[in-house]
Amino acid sequence: TRYLEHPPAWKESSLSLPSMLGSLQNMLNKAKGESAQLNRDKNKVYWAQRYKRYSEHYKERAAVLAKEGDTRAPTYLDWSKYYMERSVDQVRDIEAKSLAILVPQAVADYKKNKDKEDAQMKKEMEKNESKKPDKVEGKSEGSSDKFVTALKVKVPKGLGSGGCFAAKYDQKDVFIVVQPGTKPGTEILFALPTGIEPVAVETTEVKESELMGPQEKEGWLEKTGYVNTSYQKRYFKLMKNASLVYYSEAHSTKEQGSINLNEVTLKAKPPKDDGAPFYFIIGTKAVGGMASRNMKIKATSQQELDSWITALKSHKGLKLVE
C-alpha cells in the first residue's frame, strides 16, 4: 500500500518490492526459528529444575533412611544421582545468557504451581520405590562421576557410641561421630551434598564442660573470712542455680554462708602464695557503704583446684578477672 501511495520515494530505492517482501519473509522465518528454539530451551530448563528437585528429595530421604539403618538408603542415593545427571544433561547445550533468563522463570513457575508439581514428584517417587534407576542415556562408560552422594565406612574396632574417627575422602579427613547403638564393624553411610563443592570454614574448639551446662560440685576446701583472714575448713556445695554454699560439716543443713556467682568475680590465677599454692579468689563488688571484699579459697592439689575452677566457669554469670 505504501509503495502504491508513494511511488517516487520507493522508486528511488535500489530494492524492488519482491526483494523487500523476501527480506521481510526471511526475518519472519528467523524470528519463528528463534521462538521455537526458545520454547525448546524453556522446556529443557523446566525439566532440569524438576529433576534437580527430585534429586534433592531423594538425597534428603536417603539421609533419613541411613540414620535409621534402613537398607533402602543406597537405592535412594542412586536415584538422587540419576536425577541430578539428567538435570545437567538437559541444559548442557543451552547458552549461559539464556540460562540466566530461563532459570529464574522456571523457579517462579514452580512456585505458582507448587502443589501440583509436588504431587507429581511424590507420584514419581512412589513409582520408583521398588526399582533401581537406569543408566542416563548419553553418559559414556568410564566417565568421571562428580556427584558423590555418600561415603560408606566401617566403625573401627573398639570404638563405641559417642566415639569419633577420621575417614579419608578426596585427600581430606572427614570426622564421623558414632551414633548411639552402633557397634564396631558396622557400615555407616555418611551423606554429602549432591554436586556441591564443600566449603572450608573455621572451627572453634568446644570443651566438654561447655556442652554440659552449669555444673554441680561439692567437697572440702579452705576459705578466708572477711574479718578473720586465717583459713577455715568448710564443706562447699556448688549448685546449678549459680549458688556456692558452704557448711561447717559435710552433712550439715545449716549454711555458714552463700555466694551468688552472678554477683561476684573469679580470679583463677591469683599471685603466687607460698602459704596456699593452690587457691583462687572470689571477689564481691562494693555495695552501699560496704567495701569490696576478696575471699581466698584453697584446695589441697592442683588437680582439685583445676576441677573446681572448671565447675565454677561453667556458670556463665560468673565474671572472670585477670
Side-chain angles (χ1 to χ4, degrees), residues 30-40:
K30 183 179 179 181
K32 286 182 180 179
E34 290 176 348
S35 177
Q37 182 62 47
L38 181 63
N39 287 333
R40 285 193 292 270

Side-chain angles (χ1 to χ4, degrees), residues 223-229 246 259 264 282-284 293-295:
K223 59 171 279 297
T224 60
Y226 289 131
V227 178
N228 182 6
T229 57
Y246 51 93
I259 302 169
V264 298
I282 295 291
T284 60
R293 299 175 178 177
N294 288 332
M295 176 191 291

Side-chain angles (χ1 to χ4, degrees), residues 32-51:
K32 286 182 180 179
E34 290 176 348
S35 177
Q37 182 62 47
L38 181 63
N39 287 333
R40 285 193 292 270
D41 289 349
K42 186 175 182 180
N43 186 60
K44 286 183 178 181
V45 170
Y46 163 80
W47 282 103
Q49 289 294 307
R50 188 170 181 175
Y51 291 149

Side-chain angles (χ1 to χ4, degrees), residues 302-321:
Q302 185 65 48
Q303 183 179 0
E304 185 182 34
L305 176 67
D306 292 341
S307 176
W308 272 100
I309 290 175
T310 298
L312 288 167
K313 285 182 176 180
S314 70
H315 293 265
K316 301 304 181 184
L318 178 62
K319 184 178 179 182
L320 306 181
V321 295

Side-chain angles (χ1 to χ4, degrees), residues 3 10 13-23:
Y3 180 83
W10 284 94
S13 173
S14 60
L15 294 174
S16 63
L17 177 60
S19 62
M20 291 177 66
L21 292 175
S23 298

Side-chain angles (χ1 to χ4, degrees), residues 6-79:
H6 306 281
W10 284 94
K11 285 180 180 178
E12 293 175 1
S13 173
S14 60
L15 294 174
S16 63
L17 177 60
S19 62
M20 291 177 66
L21 292 175
S23 298
L24 180 60
Q25 186 63 49
N26 290 337
M27 292 174 63
L28 290 173
N29 290 339
K30 183 179 179 181
K32 286 182 180 179
E34 290 176 348
S35 177
Q37 182 62 47
L38 181 63
N39 287 333
R40 285 193 292 270
D41 289 349
K42 186 175 182 180
N43 186 60
K44 286 183 178 181
V45 170
Y46 163 80
W47 282 103
Q49 289 294 307
R50 188 170 181 175
Y51 291 149
K52 182 183 177 183
R53 289 194 298 273
Y54 283 14
S55 175
E56 291 170 349
H57 277 272
Y58 273 111
K59 182 190 70 175
E60 293 170 1
R61 182 61 179 155
V64 173
L65 293 176
K67 191 173 182 179
E68 296 173 350
D70 196 309
T71 55
R72 294 175 297 169
T75 299
Y76 275 77
L77 289 174
D78 288 340
W79 278 112

